[in-house]
Structure formats: C-alpha cells, structure tokens
Amino acid sequence: MSMHVAVAVSGRGSNLEALLRALGPDAPARVVLVLSNRPDAPALEHAAATRIPSVVLQDPADSAEWLEALECHGADLIVLAGYLKLVPSNVIAPYRGRIINVHPALLPSFGGQGMYGRRVHEAVLASGARESGATVHLVDEVYDRGAILGQARVPVLPGDDPDRLAARVREVEHRLLPAAVLAAAAAGRPVPIHEPVESHQ
Ligand code: GRF
C-alpha cells in the first residue's frame, strides 16, 4: 500500500512540482492532498493540474481544520514544501515523527523564525560561508529545529547574489525532498537519508 502524503504550501510550489514529478504511478508514495494557507498560492495550480484535492486553510492556526482534511484524505505523512506558518501543536502531536520540512540552507545555521526565502540566501552570503545547501528535517513545535534527516551541499561561488545562490540550492532541494519522501515510504516513516544528493551545477 502506498504512503499517503499531504503537502503544505504557501507559495510557488516548485518543491511540490518536483515531488509530483518524482512520484510516478508505481511509486510507494502518493500525494493525496495539498494544503495551503493562501488561496492565491501558485502551488495550488500544480495540485489542480494533477487533479490532487486541495484545501485552503481559513485559519492555519486551527488544528481542527488541519486534522479534518488530513483524516479525510488518510494522510500518513505531512510534507512542508515552502509552508511559511507554524503547524499547530495539536497537529504536530498526533503526527509526531511524521512531518518533514525542506529548508534552503544547511541547518542548524540560517534557520529559525523569519529565516525564509531570499533572506536565507542573503544571510549566507553576508556570513562569508563557502557552502550552502538544503536540509530535510523532522518538524516539531519550533521553526527549523527538529532532527535532521538529510542535507545536500552546494558551493557558494564568487560573484553569487541571492538569486543565483537560491537557484543552485533549489536544484538540490528538488532531488533531496523526493529522496526523503521515498525513503519514508520504504521505511514506513521518515528516516535519515543516506544516498548523497550532489549539486549538478
Ligand atoms: C524552498 O526554498 C523551501 O526550502 C522553503 O521554501 C521554498 C519553497 O519554494 N521552505 P517552492 O514554493 O517549493 O518553490
């Protein structure tokens, strides 16, 4: 039986798209639901194009709304793919160990509240770090703090600006997140990922 995955989004949805591309019809995991806190998130278009049910949360802090949608679609795993709000603790408790997030830097550095999008890459460049990357980790009650399951590294190159660095990180995120979901499906729950995801750029 395939693992039923709910994906929460707030924006563009390139990670959702990458996940949908990676999970073919015979994959051991299937996206059964897309949750968004924003009705205008472009990510919802990927859900519609692939006929995946989506739910726009009226109040993202209302755990009852989350749980109703998750239970209705039999979600086994929640993937935060560019979801920018905190998941309510009454959702985390029943799904503890079964919620993962992808973050566009090498946690534990450059994470935490307010560290998202372009700001992350600006902070990496300002720090003088020689490398960045993507992290998939378990989600708990604190932003970007849960156990790290896997990371993919990319170099910071001379002349980088936040957009160029973001594009390089995005390329590895798009392989790291599907690898994490497939590993979770194989193990029945999220587990550390051992296969390295190398930068192709
Ligand atoms: C990604 O960089 C992800 O790491 C972060 O938010 C961004 C979402 O991008 N959590 P997208 O909506 O998947 O294109």
Side-chain angles (χ1 to χ4, degrees), residues 3-4 16 18 27 51 84 95 100 107 132 134 151 155 197 199:
M3 176 172 263
H4 287 185
L16 170 63
R51 298 178 188 279
L84 297 180
Y95 278 91
I100 62 174
L107 292 175
S132 188
Q151 292 186 312
V197 173
S199 174

Side-chain angles (χ1 to χ4, degrees), residues 59-70:
D59 175 5
D62 178 4
S63 54
E65 253 191 81
W66 279 81
L67 292 172
E68 189 188 327
L70 293 167

Side-chain angles (χ1 to χ4, degrees), residues 4-64:
H4 287 185
V5 182
V7 181
V9 296
S10 298
R12 168 176 29 197
S14 67
N15 280 283
L16 170 63
E17 208 182 352
L19 184 58
L20 292 172
R21 239 192 338 260
L23 300 179
D26 300 325
R30 186 158 65 90
V31 178
V32 295
L33 172 67
V34 173
L35 290 158
S36 175
N37 62 308
R38 287 184 40 197
D40 58 347
L44 290 171
E45 290 162 24
H46 298 306
T50 44
R51 298 178 188 279
I52 294 168
S54 58
V55 168
V56 175
L57 298 162
Q58 301 305 307
D59 175 5
D62 178 4
S63 54

